[in-house]
Amino acid sequence: QVQLVESGGGSVEAGGSVRLSCAASGYTYSTICMGWFRQAPAKEREGVATKYLNPILPLNGGVTYYADSVKGRFTLAQETGKNTVSLQMNSLKREDSGVYYCVARAGACGDNWYLASRYTYWGQGTQVTVSS
């Protein structure tokens, strides 16, 4: 059974930084799409960033997708352990607050990477709170 274990999160002031990590285990797929969604109170879950992980590619060689709202501020990276990704979040804003979920699915991410329904596996979520 696939498990996604998240770490990181917490409270930070606006303009600060937070780093999230997610390690996947128990999957047998050769390639996966892995990344993060978030959900603010009274809002739907939205895609933040996802990356295509393929063992034949160099580390971080897979295509990465970002929501427009986080481009230039967030970086999704594949860590040395090939089934681990991190999300470095800089220049945080209050509107970045929410529960962040690690997600994964077999195969490529694709142009509709931002659709929550496409992801089979979800982590338990970790809270990020940005205060001004």
Side-chain angles (χ1 to χ4, degrees), residues 32-34 50-52 63-66 105-115 118-119:
I32 62 171
C33 172
M34 191 169 173
T50 60
K51 178 185 283 289
Y52 177 53
V63 176
T64 306
Y65 299 86
Y66 292 98
R105 64 177 297 274
C109 299
D111 290 341
N112 54 0
W113 67 272
Y114 53 88
L115 296 177
R118 297 197 69 225
Y119 294 87

mmCIF file of all heavy atoms in Angstrom, residues 32-34 50-52 63-66 105-115 118-119:
data_model
loop_
_atom_site.group_PDB
_atom_site.id
_atom_site.type_symbol
_atom_site.label_atom_id
_atom_site.label_comp_id
_atom_site.label_asym_id
_atom_site.label_seq_id
_atom_site.Cartn_x
_atom_site.Cartn_y
_atom_site.Cartn_z
ATOM 1 N N ILE A 32 6.129 8.164 -11.335
ATOM 2 C CA ILE A 32 5.004 8.744 -10.612
ATOM 3 C C ILE A 32 5.005 10.252 -10.762
ATOM 4 O O ILE A 32 6.031 10.862 -11.076
ATOM 5 C CB ILE A 32 5.015 8.401 -9.102
ATOM 6 C CG1 ILE A 32 6.260 8.957 -8.417
ATOM 7 C CG2 ILE A 32 4.877 6.904 -8.887
ATOM 8 C CD1 ILE A 32 6.200 8.839 -6.900
ATOM 9 N N CYS A 33 3.848 10.825 -10.559
ATOM 10 C CA CYS A 33 3.686 12.265 -10.448
ATOM 11 C C CYS A 33 3.479 12.533 -8.962
ATOM 12 O O CYS A 33 2.596 11.929 -8.341
ATOM 13 C CB CYS A 33 2.483 12.728 -11.254
ATOM 14 S SG CYS A 33 2.051 14.455 -11.000
ATOM 15 N N MET A 34 4.274 13.435 -8.406
ATOM 16 C CA MET A 34 4.243 13.654 -6.961
ATOM 17 C C MET A 34 4.351 15.138 -6.669
ATOM 18 O O MET A 34 5.073 15.859 -7.372
ATOM 19 C CB MET A 34 5.411 12.897 -6.328
ATOM 20 C CG MET A 34 5.389 12.785 -4.832
ATOM 21 S SD MET A 34 6.668 11.599 -4.317
ATOM 22 C CE MET A 34 6.583 11.814 -2.541
ATOM 23 N N THR A 50 3.533 20.071 -8.785
ATOM 24 C CA THR A 50 3.775 18.643 -8.923
ATOM 25 C C THR A 50 4.949 18.418 -9.866
ATOM 26 O O THR A 50 5.259 19.275 -10.704
ATOM 27 C CB THR A 50 2.561 17.862 -9.450
ATOM 28 O OG1 THR A 50 2.201 18.370 -10.739
ATOM 29 C CG2 THR A 50 1.377 17.977 -8.515
ATOM 30 N N LYS A 51 5.563 17.267 -9.723
ATOM 31 C CA LYS A 51 6.758 16.940 -10.509
ATOM 32 C C LYS A 51 6.674 15.498 -10.971
ATOM 33 O O LYS A 51 6.218 14.619 -10.231
ATOM 34 C CB LYS A 51 8.022 17.156 -9.686
ATOM 35 C CG LYS A 51 9.319 16.804 -10.411
ATOM 36 C CD LYS A 51 10.528 16.938 -9.497
ATOM 37 C CE LYS A 51 10.943 18.374 -9.304
ATOM 38 N NZ LYS A 51 11.559 18.942 -10.523
ATOM 39 N N TYR A 52 7.187 15.244 -12.175
ATOM 40 C CA TYR A 52 7.255 13.901 -12.745
ATOM 41 C C TYR A 52 8.557 13.252 -12.293
ATOM 42 O O TYR A 52 9.641 13.802 -12.522
ATOM 43 C CB TYR A 52 7.205 14.000 -14.264
ATOM 44 C CG TYR A 52 7.347 12.702 -15.005
ATOM 45 C CD1 TYR A 52 6.526 11.617 -14.711
ATOM 46 C CD2 TYR A 52 8.278 12.567 -16.036
ATOM 47 C CE1 TYR A 52 6.644 10.434 -15.414
ATOM 48 C CE2 TYR A 52 8.391 11.381 -16.736
ATOM 49 C CZ TYR A 52 7.575 10.316 -16.421
ATOM 50 O OH TYR A 52 7.679 9.143 -17.124
ATOM 51 N N VAL A 63 9.491 17.040 -15.587
ATOM 52 C CA VAL A 63 8.740 18.295 -15.727
ATOM 53 C C VAL A 63 8.085 18.660 -14.394
ATOM 54 O O VAL A 63 7.540 17.802 -13.705
ATOM 55 C CB VAL A 63 7.652 18.152 -16.817
ATOM 56 C CG1 VAL A 63 6.815 19.409 -16.910
ATOM 57 C CG2 VAL A 63 8.308 17.839 -18.157
ATOM 58 N N THR A 64 8.144 19.938 -14.062
ATOM 59 C CA THR A 64 7.527 20.450 -12.843
ATOM 60 C C THR A 64 6.466 21.478 -13.196
ATOM 61 O O THR A 64 6.684 22.313 -14.072
ATOM 62 C CB THR A 64 8.582 21.099 -11.929
ATOM 63 O OG1 THR A 64 9.637 20.161 -11.688
ATOM 64 C CG2 THR A 64 7.968 21.492 -10.591
ATOM 65 N N TYR A 65 5.338 21.385 -12.528
ATOM 66 C CA TYR A 65 4.235 22.315 -12.747
ATOM 67 C C TYR A 65 4.015 23.131 -11.475
ATOM 68 O O TYR A 65 4.098 22.599 -10.364
ATOM 69 C CB TYR A 65 2.954 21.548 -13.077
ATOM 70 C CG TYR A 65 3.044 20.709 -14.324
ATOM 71 C CD1 TYR A 65 3.543 19.412 -14.295
ATOM 72 C CD2 TYR A 65 2.617 21.206 -15.555
ATOM 73 C CE1 TYR A 65 3.624 18.640 -15.436
ATOM 74 C CE2 TYR A 65 2.688 20.437 -16.702
ATOM 75 C CZ TYR A 65 3.186 19.155 -16.643
ATOM 76 O OH TYR A 65 3.273 18.402 -17.773
ATOM 77 N N TYR A 66 3.696 24.404 -11.650
ATOM 78 C CA TYR A 66 3.411 25.287 -10.529
ATOM 79 C C TYR A 66 2.115 26.058 -10.778
ATOM 80 O O TYR A 66 1.832 26.463 -11.906
ATOM 81 C CB TYR A 66 4.528 26.320 -10.344
ATOM 82 C CG TYR A 66 5.851 25.756 -9.893
ATOM 83 C CD1 TYR A 66 6.860 25.488 -10.809
ATOM 84 C CD2 TYR A 66 6.096 25.514 -8.547
ATOM 85 C CE1 TYR A 66 8.088 24.988 -10.401
ATOM 86 C CE2 TYR A 66 7.323 25.004 -8.122
ATOM 87 C CZ TYR A 66 8.307 24.743 -9.063
ATOM 88 O OH TYR A 66 9.518 24.245 -8.653
ATOM 89 N N ARG A 105 0.422 10.017 -7.913
ATOM 90 C CA ARG A 105 -0.331 9.149 -8.806
ATOM 91 C C ARG A 105 0.671 8.463 -9.723
ATOM 92 O O ARG A 105 1.777 8.965 -9.925
ATOM 93 C CB ARG A 105 -1.344 9.934 -9.630
ATOM 94 C CG ARG A 105 -0.744 10.929 -10.584
ATOM 95 C CD ARG A 105 -1.822 11.609 -11.424
ATOM 96 N NE ARG A 105 -2.531 10.668 -12.262
ATOM 97 C CZ ARG A 105 -2.126 10.303 -13.466
ATOM 98 N NH1 ARG A 105 -1.002 10.803 -13.974
ATOM 99 N NH2 ARG A 105 -2.831 9.452 -14.180
ATOM 100 N N ALA A 106 0.284 7.343 -10.286
ATOM 101 C CA ALA A 106 1.157 6.640 -11.212
ATOM 102 C C ALA A 106 1.268 7.419 -12.516
ATOM 103 O O ALA A 106 0.311 8.053 -12.952
ATOM 104 C CB ALA A 106 0.620 5.241 -11.481
ATOM 105 N N GLY A 107 2.438 7.371 -13.135
ATOM 106 C CA GLY A 107 2.616 7.967 -14.448
ATOM 107 C C GLY A 107 2.941 9.453 -14.419
ATOM 108 O O GLY A 107 3.327 10.013 -13.399
ATOM 109 N N ALA A 108 2.753 10.080 -15.572
ATOM 110 C CA ALA A 108 3.097 11.490 -15.731
ATOM 111 C C ALA A 108 2.043 12.396 -15.096
ATOM 112 O O ALA A 108 0.926 11.977 -14.813
ATOM 113 C CB ALA A 108 3.251 11.822 -17.215
ATOM 114 N N CYS A 109 2.434 13.674 -14.920
ATOM 115 C CA CYS A 109 1.511 14.629 -14.319
ATOM 116 C C CYS A 109 0.517 15.142 -15.358
ATOM 117 O O CYS A 109 -0.686 15.135 -15.132
ATOM 118 C CB CYS A 109 2.284 15.799 -13.719
ATOM 119 S SG CYS A 109 3.427 15.329 -12.407
ATOM 120 N N GLY A 110 1.038 15.633 -16.494
ATOM 121 C CA GLY A 110 0.153 16.096 -17.543
ATOM 122 C C GLY A 110 -0.350 17.507 -17.340
ATOM 123 O O GLY A 110 -0.225 18.089 -16.257
ATOM 124 N N ASP A 111 -0.960 18.038 -18.410
ATOM 125 C CA ASP A 111 -1.417 19.418 -18.380
ATOM 126 C C ASP A 111 -2.518 19.664 -17.357
ATOM 127 O O ASP A 111 -2.725 20.799 -16.926
ATOM 128 C CB ASP A 111 -1.907 19.832 -19.765
ATOM 129 C CG ASP A 111 -0.760 19.947 -20.763
ATOM 130 O OD1 ASP A 111 0.396 20.071 -20.307
ATOM 131 O OD2 ASP A 111 -1.011 19.893 -21.973
ATOM 132 N N ASN A 112 -3.285 18.643 -16.989
ATOM 133 C CA ASN A 112 -4.324 18.831 -15.975
ATOM 134 C C ASN A 112 -3.837 18.378 -14.600
ATOM 135 O O ASN A 112 -4.602 17.848 -13.804
ATOM 136 C CB ASN A 112 -5.601 18.104 -16.372
ATOM 137 C CG ASN A 112 -5.370 16.645 -16.679
ATOM 138 O OD1 ASN A 112 -4.247 16.164 -16.604
ATOM 139 N ND2 ASN A 112 -6.431 15.942 -17.008
ATOM 140 N N TRP A 113 -2.583 18.638 -14.330
ATOM 141 C CA TRP A 113 -1.956 18.259 -13.070
ATOM 142 C C TRP A 113 -2.668 18.868 -11.869
ATOM 143 O O TRP A 113 -2.547 18.358 -10.758
ATOM 144 C CB TRP A 113 -0.498 18.729 -13.065
ATOM 145 C CG TRP A 113 -0.394 20.231 -13.038
ATOM 146 C CD1 TRP A 113 -0.385 21.066 -14.113
ATOM 147 C CD2 TRP A 113 -0.333 21.067 -11.887
ATOM 148 N NE1 TRP A 113 -0.318 22.366 -13.695
ATOM 149 C CE2 TRP A 113 -0.270 22.395 -12.347
ATOM 150 C CE3 TRP A 113 -0.317 20.824 -10.516
ATOM 151 C CZ2 TRP A 113 -0.198 23.473 -11.472
ATOM 152 C CZ3 TRP A 113 -0.243 21.890 -9.643
ATOM 153 C CH2 TRP A 113 -0.192 23.211 -10.119
ATOM 154 N N TYR A 114 -3.386 19.964 -12.068
ATOM 155 C CA TYR A 114 -3.979 20.722 -10.975
ATOM 156 C C TYR A 114 -5.319 20.156 -10.503
ATOM 157 O O TYR A 114 -5.934 20.691 -9.572
ATOM 158 C CB TYR A 114 -4.177 22.176 -11.410
ATOM 159 C CG TYR A 114 -4.949 22.290 -12.690
ATOM 160 C CD1 TYR A 114 -6.335 22.351 -12.680
ATOM 161 C CD2 TYR A 114 -4.304 22.287 -13.921
ATOM 162 C CE1 TYR A 114 -7.043 22.424 -13.851
ATOM 163 C CE2 TYR A 114 -4.997 22.359 -15.096
ATOM 164 C CZ TYR A 114 -6.384 22.432 -15.074
ATOM 165 O OH TYR A 114 -7.080 22.491 -16.224
ATOM 166 N N LEU A 115 -5.791 19.099 -11.150
ATOM 167 C CA LEU A 115 -7.074 18.511 -10.770
ATOM 168 C C LEU A 115 -6.879 17.513 -9.635
ATOM 169 O O LEU A 115 -6.209 16.490 -9.794
ATOM 170 C CB LEU A 115 -7.722 17.824 -11.968
ATOM 171 C CG LEU A 115 -8.109 18.735 -13.130
ATOM 172 C CD1 LEU A 115 -8.667 17.907 -14.285
ATOM 173 C CD2 LEU A 115 -9.096 19.788 -12.684
ATOM 174 N N ARG A 118 -7.362 13.642 -9.988
ATOM 175 C CA ARG A 118 -6.403 12.796 -10.712
ATOM 176 C C ARG A 118 -5.447 12.066 -9.776
ATOM 177 O O ARG A 118 -4.713 11.199 -10.219
ATOM 178 C CB ARG A 118 -5.600 13.637 -11.686
ATOM 179 C CG ARG A 118 -6.425 14.286 -12.788
ATOM 180 C CD ARG A 118 -5.541 14.736 -13.917
ATOM 181 N NE ARG A 118 -4.972 13.598 -14.632
ATOM 182 C CZ ARG A 118 -3.699 13.513 -14.995
ATOM 183 N NH1 ARG A 118 -2.853 14.458 -14.682
ATOM 184 N NH2 ARG A 118 -3.274 12.474 -15.671
ATOM 185 N N TYR A 119 -5.451 12.412 -8.521
ATOM 186 C CA TYR A 119 -4.450 11.858 -7.611
ATOM 187 C C TYR A 119 -5.044 10.748 -6.755
ATOM 188 O O TYR A 119 -6.069 10.921 -6.097
ATOM 189 C CB TYR A 119 -3.829 12.965 -6.755
ATOM 190 C CG TYR A 119 -3.046 13.903 -7.639
ATOM 191 C CD1 TYR A 119 -3.676 14.980 -8.250
ATOM 192 C CD2 TYR A 119 -1.710 13.656 -7.938
ATOM 193 C CE1 TYR A 119 -2.984 15.812 -9.122
ATOM 194 C CE2 TYR A 119 -1.014 14.477 -8.804
ATOM 195 C CZ TYR A 119 -1.659 15.544 -9.400
ATOM 196 O OH TYR A 119 -0.978 16.348 -10.280
#
